[in-house]
């Protein structure tokens, strides 16, 4: 028996939740079927895990329904230009979150706020967010999660009104490396590696056009490690993009931090995806991801890319950002610098993260040997 339900049952649940029925083109159903099978047969989900995955997949389908309805209601979104967007594509725990939030502190830029990733729509006035039922639902969900997982905010400061990773949009197509951080899904991982992400990024772009409808002219600044395996589709969709890759060494520090974050994020979901089981799985993911990205990057114009070293960024964040602004042909004014300093101060205040790599079934020597300078 499929305890997670079928594709049709999850679609029905999403329709009941939203009152909507148009999911758009059916290409997402193939990925959803593979995901369901992989979760069911390989992820060893606990009752808590089953409930969490059901809720998450239903929510993703609800998000897809909302996009379809909003596109139909606001057809003018299709004319919104997206010019010279910035994509931050480093591995998790390499400084991407602070850099993302610094760049989106500039009023000339826009990012994807977490709640709008769940319910894509033209971005309302900031003063209206707190009263929005979806905003309240997302923030309540975050508050409940943080209460159950003490210390998580010291690893990653989530808020409904804060900019977040844009896998919130790409997973509408059920093609996303995000899912690989939620459980041991070898069949889905193998299937995902063979997919063409072109349609995923076309849909993603359409959602950005919709969300940015009220902020035309603001540059998009986005970030997700999932873009690392989709570089060709990303640059085909956004040919004038600037791609920023963050680097942090040694690799064992990055992977240890990522293991700790994932272990807390999925706590209780599966006995076979926690503690010592997580390290080997994430190490294989990192090797596979970075190998593919390096090969894909080598085929594109070097001028598309800008590299940021973690040690340089933490030593002088504003100097690193000034280099990015130079690439964008913009001045880093005193006003913008002040806003960015506030972001750094807030992230420093909240940051509190301790972990031991050996708790996750891998050693520093093994990680550094496998990843080398890729990271």
């Amino acid at each position: 028996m499929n305890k997670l339900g079928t594709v049709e049952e999850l679609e029905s649940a999403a329709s009941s939740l939203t009152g909507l029925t148009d999911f758009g083109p059916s290409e997402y159903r193939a990925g959803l079927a593979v995901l369901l099978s992989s979760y069911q047969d390989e992820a060893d989900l606990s009752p808590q895990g089953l409930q969490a995955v059901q809720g998450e997949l239903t929510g993703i389908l609800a998000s897809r329904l909302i996009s379809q309805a909003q596109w139909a209601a606001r057809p003018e979104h299709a004319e919104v230009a997206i010019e010279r967007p910035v994509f931050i594509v480093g591995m998790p725990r390499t400084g991407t979150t602070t850099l993302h939030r610094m760049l989106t502190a500039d009023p000339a830029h826009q990012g994807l706020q977490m709640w709008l990733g769940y319910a894509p729509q033209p971005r309302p006035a900031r003063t209206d967010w707190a009263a929005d039922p979806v905003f309240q639902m997302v923030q309540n969900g975050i508050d409940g999660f943080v209460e159950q997982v003490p210390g998580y905010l010291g690893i990653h400061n989530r808020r409904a009104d804060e900019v977040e990773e844009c896998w919130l949009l790409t997973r509408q197509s059920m093609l996303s490396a995000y899912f690989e951080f939620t459980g041991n899904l070898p069949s889905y991982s193998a299937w995902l590696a063979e997919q063409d992400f072109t349609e995923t990024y076309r849909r993603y772009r359409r959602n950005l056009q919709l969300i940015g409808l009220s902020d035309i002219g603001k540059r998009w600044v986005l970030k997700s490690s999932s873009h690392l395996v989709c570089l060709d589709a990303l640059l085909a969709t956004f040919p004038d993009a600037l791609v920023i890759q963050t680097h942090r060494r040694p690799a064992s520090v990055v992977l240890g931090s990522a293991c700790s974050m994932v272990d807390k994020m999925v706590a209780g979901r599966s006995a076979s995806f926690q503690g010592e089981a997580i390290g080997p799985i994430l190490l294989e993911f990192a090797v596979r991801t970075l190998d593919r990205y390096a090969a894909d990057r080598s085929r594109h114009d070097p001028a598309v890319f800008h590299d940021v070293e973690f040690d340089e960024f933490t030593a002088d964040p504003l100097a690193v950002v000034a280099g990015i602004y130079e690439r964008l042909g913009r001045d880093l004014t005193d006003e913008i610098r002040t806003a960015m300093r506030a972001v750094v101060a807030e992230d420093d205040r909240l940051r509190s993260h301790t972990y031991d790599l050996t708790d996750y079934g891998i050693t520093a020597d093994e990680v550094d040997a496998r990843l080398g300078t890729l990271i």
Side-chain angles (χ1 to χ4, degrees):
M1 184 176 82
N2 188 340
K3 297 177 183 178
L4 282 174
T6 64
V7 170
E8 291 78 13
E9 287 169 341
L10 289 175
E11 289 172 336
S12 178
S15 289
S16 295
L17 183 65
T18 61
L20 303 169
T21 58
D22 179 14
F23 290 93
S26 63
E27 86 292 335
Y28 70 94
R29 300 180 100 241
L32 179 54
V34 175
L35 258 180
L36 286 173
S37 177
S38 196
Y39 274 126
Q40 182 70 31
D41 299 338
E42 299 167 337
D44 189 28
L45 294 174
S46 65
Q48 175 186 335
L50 282 167
Q51 184 178 23
V53 170
Q54 278 181 327
E56 189 160 57
L57 294 177
T58 300
I60 293 167
L61 289 172
S63 176
R64 187 180 175 97
L65 285 166
I66 292 168
S67 289
Q68 293 294 142
Q70 286 287 329
W71 292 341
R74 303 298 298 270
E76 67 271 26
H77 79 276
E79 304 303 318
V80 174
I82 298 179
E83 297 178 349
R84 195 64 168 140
V86 174
F87 293 90
I88 303 169
V89 301
M91 288 291 286
R93 321 311 300 159
T94 59
T96 57
T97 297
T98 300
L99 179 59
H100 186 209
R101 291 176 180 175
M102 287 179 71
L103 293 175
T104 52
D106 183 339
H109 294 164
Q110 60 181 317
L112 177 66
Q113 284 77 25
M114 191 169 192
W115 78 284
L116 293 173
Y118 283 94
Q121 59 188 281
R123 188 182 291 107
R126 179 67 181 82
T127 52
D128 296 336
W129 293 5
D132 189 288
V134 176
F135 181 92
Q136 295 171 359
M137 178 190 70
V138 173
Q139 186 59 56
N140 288 340
I142 294 170
D143 292 342
F145 173 78
V146 170
E147 184 177 343
Q148 293 174 4
V149 188
Y152 186 82
L153 288 185
I155 304 173
H156 182 63
N157 179 22
R158 284 184 177 177
R159 295 202 315 265
D161 63 350
E162 186 58 273
V163 291
E164 190 50 84
E165 296 212 7
C166 47
W167 48 252
L168 288 163
L169 296 179
T170 57
R171 66 182 188 170
Q172 281 193 10
S173 299
M174 299 296 172
L175 271 70
S176 177
Y178 161 78
F179 296 110
E180 298 182 84
F181 289 94
T182 67
N184 183 27
L185 305 172
S187 295
Y188 178 76
S189 296
W191 177 84
L192 187 68
E194 301 300 320
Q195 300 310 303
D196 180 347
F197 291 90
T198 302
E199 290 304 319
T200 297
Y201 275 84
R202 286 175 179 165
R203 183 178 187 89
Y204 169 77
R205 181 186 179 93
R206 235 184 132 177
N207 271 314
L208 296 180
Q209 290 176 300
L210 173 72
I211 295 167
L213 189 58
S214 304
D215 294 292
I216 292 175
K218 289 189 176 184
R219 185 196 310 274
W220 276 101
V221 180
L222 301 141
K223 76 116 172 173
S224 177
S225 60
S226 64
H227 295 311
L228 288 164
V229 295
C230 311
L231 185 62
D232 290 343
L234 186 152
L235 291 176
T237 309
F238 305 96
D240 61 344
L242 175 66
V243 177
I244 300 173
Q245 183 181 4
T246 51
H247 306 268
R248 184 180 183 183
R249 301 179 186 87
S252 53
V253 173
V254 178
L255 206 68
S257 184
C259 286
S260 175
M261 179 183 69
V262 170
D263 195 29
K264 288 180 171 60
M265 185 175 74
V266 301
R269 285 194 179 194
S270 168
S272 61
F273 194 64
Q274 64 179 12
E276 292 185 353
I278 287 179
I281 293 171
L282 291 193
L283 177 56
E284 292 304 321
F285 170 84
V287 171
R288 183 174 69 248
T289 296
L290 292 170
D291 273 342
R292 175 166 178 173
Y293 177 78
D296 291 346
R297 174 170 170 165
S298 69
R299 296 194 302 272
H300 292 279
D301 183 353
V304 168
F305 303 95
H306 185 86
D307 294 288
V308 169
E309 294 291 341
F310 181 83
D311 288 346
E312 295 177 5
F313 179 59
T314 53
D316 194 342
L318 284 169
V320 168
V321 169
I324 294 170
Y325 271 56
E326 185 176 349
R327 291 291 306 274
L328 296 173
R330 290 199 59 214
D331 292 329
L332 190 55
T333 66
D334 289 342
E335 181 181 3
I336 298 172
R337 287 174 182 271
T338 298
M340 290 182 175
R341 286 192 187 98
V343 169
V344 174
E346 177 70 359
D347 279 8
D348 286 345
R349 182 183 68 82
L350 292 169
R351 188 177 295 115
S352 174
H353 189 196
T354 58
Y355 57 88
D356 187 336
L357 183 61
T358 59
D359 290 341
Y360 304 109
I362 48 179
T363 67
D365 288 346
E366 179 184 6
V367 173
D368 292 334
R370 292 288 306 279
L371 291 177
T373 59
L374 280 174
I375 208 159

